[in-house]
Amino acid sequence: MQEFDYDLFVLGAGSGGVRACRIAASLGAKVGVAEERYFGGTCVNVGCVPKKLFSYAAHFRDDFEDSKGFGWSYSDIGFDWSTLKTNKDKEVSRLNSIYKLILDDNNVDVFEARATIEGPHEIRVKGKLVTAKFILIAVGGWPWTPEFPGSDVAVSSNELFELKKLPRSLVVLGGGYIAVEFASIFSRLGCETTLVCRGDKLLRGFDEEIRDFITAAIGHGVVLKLNTEIVEINPRNSGVNVLLNEGSEIVADLVLSATGRRPMTSNLGLEKVAVELNKSGSIQVDEHYRTAEPSIYAVGDVIDRIALTPVALAEGQTVARHLFSNHPEAMGYQNIPTAVFCHPNLGTVGLSEEQAIQKGLGIEVYSSAVKQLKHSLTGRNEMCMIKLIVEKSSDRVIGLHMVGPDAGELVQGFAVAMNCGATKSDFDRTIGIHPTLAEEFVTMRSLRARPVL
Ligand code: NDP
């Protein structure tokens, strides 16, 4: 029988890779991992974690303003970008160490270097050829920007985390997660922000009614240019001139391109093995995350199924159990909750109204816009929205959507209920917690009067 240096060798120590290493090692496998950049991957270093810290910072602006209606008064409130950045950097490097510690504590051999695939069981790392029974590709994705004159002047979210100075003005290109989150954050931090989106509303793929609501809500604080594209960026003095397809020009300090991310499959040595790519450049895998090369697996953003940290974690864990445990589990992709940390937050789980209809399901829709009690004293004209999609035949809640403060915190719990098969009657017989926004979910009695579609 062929002997290998490792049972599993993982390329990439991000969310999916580290989870796979830890679980495989705990199941007795000899594991190696190569990481060329930073431990913890996108999420910890240039994604979820630092973004959420920035989002907290941004929320204080509204909180300070809202506090006046409750009797607070203050003078001399200022915001210091360098304090936020320094503290963010400290937290990120603390988390880097924790990720490294997880690997060390599990006796995983860590190579702080780029690794490439040389064959179905061979990896080159630090000039050495190592062998592994199984290889897991968990190298993630990288921001992608379309090409147009001056597009190289635009920065990606990666660079935004490293800015030495808060820009006075920012143009954001895109209408997805990163665009709406960063437009919300930077506008609240005091940066004049314009969001340029090629579509007629933000967040394609989400429930249409929720998209309408968010598109209207983002406009409070952000200049929104819908059905618009950037055709050229020209550097000027310390900033940029941004030319739009409708002929107008914006002068700004900086342009953020948030036009999607691409799997990092180039120069990995994939041509030396049978691994196949999808049209998008992501790695093709089967239900066990196995590529067309039987000894090579792939998880996370590089397979481009659902590019979310908790999904990559679950996939990494599933692969490790599949390979090294007697009780492998399949991973389900239903009811994966997600939140967009724009202002206000958006949380969602299950099907959108359109997806449910497309699946041919008979549905009932409950939706309402409500004002938080808090705003009766703040004077802020901010509404929240909640929406339930119920399958008529089973009474099951198959879609739950919310726009409002801490939407992610609320939706997580409802995702559990939905995974347990909660019905609308279960919601109805649940006692609310008063006065909260969450209680609205258990007190929705009237069907939406007018269908949106
Ligand atoms: P998204 O895919 O979410 O959005 C990309 C946006 O860019 C879309 O609005 C798209 O428009 C637009 N776009 C694409 N190509 C062009 C172009 N050539 N010109 C103009 N606009 C263009 O990508 P993001 O970069 O925002 O985020 C990447 C992924 O990271 C997300 O999908 C998500 O999975 C993950 N993420 C998750 C977060 C969270 O959980 N809170 C936060 C941030 C990221 P159109 O819709 O018309 O195609």
Side-chain angles (χ1 to χ4, degrees), residues 51 144 146 175-178 181 198 204 258-261 307-308 339 341:
K51 181 274 313 289
W144 170 85
Y177 275 87
I178 296 181
E181 288 182 343
R198 68 179 176 183
R204 187 162 61 83
T259 44
R261 297 173 60 87
L308 297 174
F341 296 99

Side-chain angles (χ1 to χ4, degrees), residues 16-69:
V18 170
R19 175 64 66 87
C21 286
R22 179 166 74 75
I23 302 293
S26 72
L27 291 169
K30 180 158 171 40
V31 183
V33 63
E35 171 55 59
E36 63 172 330
R37 202 167 286 109
Y38 28 48
F39 293 101
T42 302
C43 170
V44 165
N45 295 279
V46 286
C48 326
V49 171
K51 181 274 313 289
K52 185 82 188 276
L53 294 174
F54 282 8
S55 174
Y56 284 127
H59 274 287
F60 281 109
R61 172 179 286 264
D62 292 355
D63 293 342
F64 287 133
E65 281 169 13
D66 290 348
S67 70
K68 290 180 189 161

Side-chain angles (χ1 to χ4, degrees), residues 47-48 51 143-148 157 173-182 196-199 201-206 211 228-230 257-262 301 306-310 338-341:
C48 326
K51 181 274 313 289
W144 170 85
T145 301
E147 276 188 30
F148 54 82
S157 50
L173 174 63
Y177 275 87
I178 296 181
V180 296
E181 288 182 343
F182 278 101
V196 177
C197 171
R198 68 179 176 183
K201 52 183 108 159
L202 303 170
L203 294 173
R204 187 162 61 83
F206 285 78
R211 292 180 71 196
T228 308
E229 290 184 48
I230 296 180
S257 170
T259 44
R261 297 173 60 87
R262 296 282 185 273
D301 290 4
I306 298 184
L308 297 174
T309 294
T338 182
V340 186
F341 296 99

